[in-house]
Amino acid sequence: MPTYDFIVIGSGIAGLSYTVKVAQHFADRNIPIKIALITKTIAEETNTKYAQGGIAAVWDTDDSFEKHIEDTMVAGDFISDRTVVEMVVREAPERLRELIAYGTDFDRKSDGSFDLVKEGGHSDKRILHYKDSTGNEIERALLAKVKSFESVDFFTHYFAVDLITQHHLGEKVTKDTPGKQCYGVYVLNKKTKQVETFLGKTTLLATGGIGQVYQSTTNPTIATGDGIAMAYRAKGFVQGMEFIQFHPTALYNPGKKPSFLISEAVRGHGGILKNQDGSTFMEKYDARLSLAPRDIVARAIDSEMKIHGVDHVYLDTRHIPKEEILQHFPMIYAHCLKELGLDMSKDMIPVVPAQHYLCGGIIVDHFGQTNIENLYAAGECSHTGLHGANRLASNSLLEAIVYAHNAFEKSVSQYGTQVLPVGIPDWDDAGTRNPEELVLVTEMAKELESIMSNYVGIVRTDRRLKRAYDRLELIYLEHEELYKQSRITVPLCELRNMINVAYLIIKHARAQRQNKGLHYNIDLR
Ligand code: FAD
Ligand code: SIN
């Protein structure tokens, strides 16, 4: 059984920036350590890679920490944890300087200052970006940096299945068991189809979002909520799952999954939301018009689509000079042209809201520590308290680097104190056989997406949530039976995780008795 000092699950911004920091820290001190960096497909395939708009931080002298803090609190409908908001906003410039030192490029103006832009809910221009492909640029730079360290063993196409805790030593572990510990993770090697045991003194979950639980999402196929489900099964605490963010402007292109995002920065540059007859509508909903926070804009679009009986609205960018569009949004321009033959300098863009981000997740403290010892979480899979009931645009990449840093500091300070117990067993699949009915898995996944999209979307009701709960239970029971009989596969495990995540979303949504931010239940009005 390989034993690692640090196991990192996920190669997005959270996992990579944590890995760089840990590896650098020990390299500087000439201390030999071993880090396992595990990712379920190729290294680059992450939500991070698709981030467009950018990363928020206060740079301009006209801007201030206080304004960024207030914007975050307002967007979060005032249930964000103010101490967390203050910490993240104040740390932002330092963490961004590190990203730049690792080789990330951000667009600058001719005088050398950053080309800061504005997005929904921000009272000032404070988004750093690299054209409209910021995430790809960050991912590129971080991956190159990680690969320069000898201490890092990179495991691509390895799927983390379950965290190892005292439960695997035969002890009864419940939510209330004190001193729960994480000893590593069971991982399915996708090439050999064998489950391998990775023992780890410290484990970081950086597994990203949950978009695949919905029919229409901007998230790539890796986003199946695996880390949240693993932590939950290991009796980790999870919170805020009812706060599912729907991005107002995904490209309307039926049948395409994931949905292509039309960045909020396009509205920041003057793009205007319009009905199919060309009339504007945001003035009916919010004084900030197309740049109101996302929950408000997505609900407004949903309401207009219902009023007019249509399945999309439009984003009008025809008044923005073509050179400006090409300079700031080359990727979006090229995509619209290639996929729909649409020239955004001449044609309006058809858009529709799509699931985009999860504000809730595994509860962590200021250092990314979960309620399970030696288990940390950072990035979209975690719940830090920053986003409250609705995330402010471009605060997600920021949260990930701040918490990766804090988790690095804490976990490195604990280095050498953890002792792994003897007798941790290997994965036991006795009595299982190769799955014969894969069609059941694909059909169950389709049913699950349909339940979540129809009953647990932008607008909810008590009856819809109950129906979702009842239908999900049937899928859960059917899947459990199949899971117990089968040698595990990635689709089977991902479905198991998505069922866990969907259950948590519905459960938290039913328990939420107030309309706050992204949770909007007609029966609570
Ligand atoms: P990810 O980047 O999603 O990485 C997750 C990693 O975990 C992947 O490597 C994956 O393979 C791995 N993984 C998952 N499960 C397993 C498993 N079982 N075993 C092994 N590996 C596993 N935010 C902003 O702040 N600004 C933006 O401009 C912005 N634009 C966005 C645009 C799009 C289209 C999308 C989808 C999101 C955007 N976001 C943006 C949100 C932001 O990109 C994500 O929240 C952030 O990148 C998440 O980073 P992460 O490191 O937590 O996870
Ligand atoms: C976007 O570019 O609109 C996405 C920004 C974000 O999700 O923060």
Side-chain angles (χ1 to χ4, degrees):
M1 278 180 201
T3 302
Y4 288 89
D5 298 295
F6 297 88
I7 296 176
V8 179
I9 309 172
S11 57
I13 186 169
L16 292 180
S17 44
Y18 175 84
T19 305
V20 167
K21 284 180 167 260
V22 172
Q24 187 72 61
H25 173 90
F26 288 101
D28 289 347
R29 287 157 185 78
N30 263 326
I31 301 174
I33 53 149
K34 279 174 74 182
I35 306 174
L37 178 51
I38 297 169
T39 187
K40 69 178 174 178
T41 67
I42 55 169
E44 297 80 3
E45 192 56 3
T46 58
N47 272 13
T48 299
K49 174 185 161 189
Y50 296 94
Q52 293 184 0
I55 181 161
V58 171
W59 288 97
D60 205 311
T61 42
D62 290 341
D63 197 5
S64 67
F65 289 140
E66 286 66 33
K67 276 159 67 180
H68 190 182
I69 290 165
E70 217 41 44
D71 292 346
T72 304
M73 293 300 297
V74 170
D77 213 354
F78 296 98
I79 62 164
S80 299
D81 179 336
R82 191 174 272 276
T83 58
V84 168
V85 176
E86 291 192 359
M87 184 261 288
V88 172
V89 165
R90 290 179 197 282
E91 260 195 49
E94 202 180 332
R95 301 285 81 81
L96 271 159
R97 272 191 282 274
E98 286 167 354
L99 265 191
I100 294 165
Y102 298 154
T104 312
D105 200 7
F106 290 111
D107 286 358
R108 291 177 187 266
K109 295 197 280 206
S110 51
D111 64 2
S113 61
F114 288 117
D115 176 35
L116 301 172
V117 296
K118 197 171 175 181
E119 287 179 350
H122 288 275
S123 58
D124 215 319
K125 288 186 174 183
R126 65 168 75 97
I127 318 292
L128 281 88
H129 65 103
Y130 178 78
K131 306 203 183 314
D132 51 356
S133 315
T134 311
N136 194 41
E137 171 59 13
I138 293 173
E139 187 72 22
R140 179 201 63 71
L142 283 173
L143 265 177
K145 186 81 186 161
V146 160
K147 286 179 180 166
S148 70
F149 292 104
E150 275 179 14
S151 55
V152 182
D153 290 346
F154 217 133
F155 295 91
T156 56
H157 301 284
Y158 272 68
F159 182 93
V161 180
D162 267 323
L163 296 167
I164 305 170
T165 65
Q166 288 100 325
H167 166 77
H168 297 94
L169 294 169
E171 293 173 30
K172 187 169 158 52
V173 178
T174 69
K175 290 241 174 269
D176 304 321
T177 307
K180 286 190 285 282
Q181 293 197 17
C182 177
Y183 306 131
V185 61
Y186 290 118
V187 188
L188 176 64
N189 176 338
K190 287 165 69 179
K191 290 194 184 114
T192 63
K193 299 188 170 46
Q194 297 300 312
V195 178
E196 300 177 15
T197 308
F198 281 62
L199 298 183
K201 294 177 186 160
T202 295
T203 301
L204 174 80
L205 287 168
T207 48
I210 57 100
Q212 293 300 317
V213 163
Y214 285 87
Q215 270 167 342
S216 140
T217 176
T218 62
N219 293 188
T221 52
I222 53 108
T224 50
D226 301 342
I228 297 169
M230 277 191 280
Y232 180 69
R233 287 194 296 268
K235 311 299 176 202
F237 297 151
V238 175
Q239 192 181 331
M241 299 292 285
E242 69 272 41
F243 299 121
I244 304 290
Q245 185 169 74
F246 289 80
H247 197 292
T249 56
L251 183 65
Y252 176 72
N253 193 0
K256 275 272 174 196
K257 190 176 183 186
S259 302
F260 180 77
L261 183 72
I262 306 293
S263 175
E264 193 150 315
V266 175
R267 276 174 282 137
H269 258 86
I272 300 167
L273 287 165
K274 292 191 171 167
N275 266 318
Q276 300 213 353
D277 63 3
S279 60
T280 57
F281 57 83
M282 275 311 297
E283 60 280 2
K284 286 198 276 174
Y285 299 93
D286 196 283
R288 290 161 289 184
L289 306 175
S290 294
L291 278 180
R294 276 182 198 166
D295 54 337
I296 296 169
V297 183
R299 256 195 315 275
I301 295 176
D302 187 69
S303 152
E304 289 296 307
M305 292 194 315
K306 286 188 175 124
I307 292 169
H308 297 285
V310 293
D311 43 17
H312 66 274
V313 295
Y314 282 103
L315 183 62
D316 192 354
T317 52
R318 293 172 299 177
H319 53 287
I320 307 175
K322 185 164 180 175
E323 316 78 72
E324 229 175 89
I325 291 179
L326 289 177
Q327 186 194 343
H328 293 285
F329 308 112
M331 199 258 298
I332 296 175
Y333 181 86
H335 185 96
C336 291
L337 200 57
K338 181 165 164 263
E339 290 291 313
L340 296 179
L342 182 157
D343 177 343
M344 61 191 268
S345 69
K346 295 193 188 118
D347 307 305
M348 293 203 289
I349 312 168
V351 290
V352 65
Q355 191 286 343
H356 181 63
Y357 184 80
L358 169 70
C359 295
I362 307 157
I363 299 182
V364 294
D365 66 12
H366 286 208
F367 300 98
Q369 218 166 8
T370 70
N371 63 312
I372 300 173
E373 284 173 30
N374 306 322
L375 180 68
Y376 295 77
E380 192 166 338
C381 69
S382 66
H383 178 276
T384 64
L386 177 71
H387 308 308
N390 174 40
R391 171 174 69 91
L392 182 65
S394 290
N395 262 359
S396 164
L397 296 170
L398 174 61
E399 178 193 53
I401 49 171
V402 169
Y403 274 82
H405 171 82
N406 295 0
F408 144 74
E409 285 202 323
K410 185 67 190 258
S411 56
V412 156
S413 76
Q414 311 256 300
Y415 173 73
T417 60
Q418 307 103 325
V419 182
L420 290 171
V422 288
I424 293 173
D426 272 330
W427 183 256
D428 180 10
D429 61 1
T432 60
R433 53 180 192 266
N434 287 331
E436 286 148 18
E437 301 242 50
L438 264 182
V439 64
L440 292 180
V441 175
T442 28
E443 286 309 308
M444 275 191 258
K446 278 190 208 153
E447 279 173 51
L448 176 114
E449 288 172 9
S450 154
I451 290 168
M452 294 306 287
S453 299
N454 289 324
Y455 308 134
V456 202
I458 297 174
V459 176
R460 302 159 181 182
T461 66
D462 287 343
R463 182 174 288 183
R464 285 180 208 170
L465 292 175
K466 177 172 184 326
R467 191 174 168 85
Y469 189 89
D470 294 344
R471 295 293 177 279
L472 185 72
E473 191 161 24
L474 298 176
I475 299 180
Y476 167 75
L477 294 171
E478 205 179 328
H479 179 274
E480 271 292 290
E481 202 184 324
L482 192 64
Y483 187 84
K484 280 188 191 133
Q485 295 165 356
S486 309
R487 205 151 288 152
I488 60 168
T489 63
V490 169
L492 193 64
C493 291
E494 285 186 335
L495 179 59
R496 178 187 186 215
N497 293 334
M498 289 196 291
I499 293 170
N500 283 178
V501 163
Y503 164 77
L504 288 166
I505 296 171
I506 300 168
K507 185 176 154 198
H508 291 191
R510 292 183 86 189
Q512 177 59 263
R513 298 321 291 161
Q514 248 188 318
N515 279 335
K516 276 273 165 201
L518 296 159
H519 178 74
Y520 184 72
N521 179 340
I522 291 174
D523 295 320
L524 300 179
R525 277 190 303 201

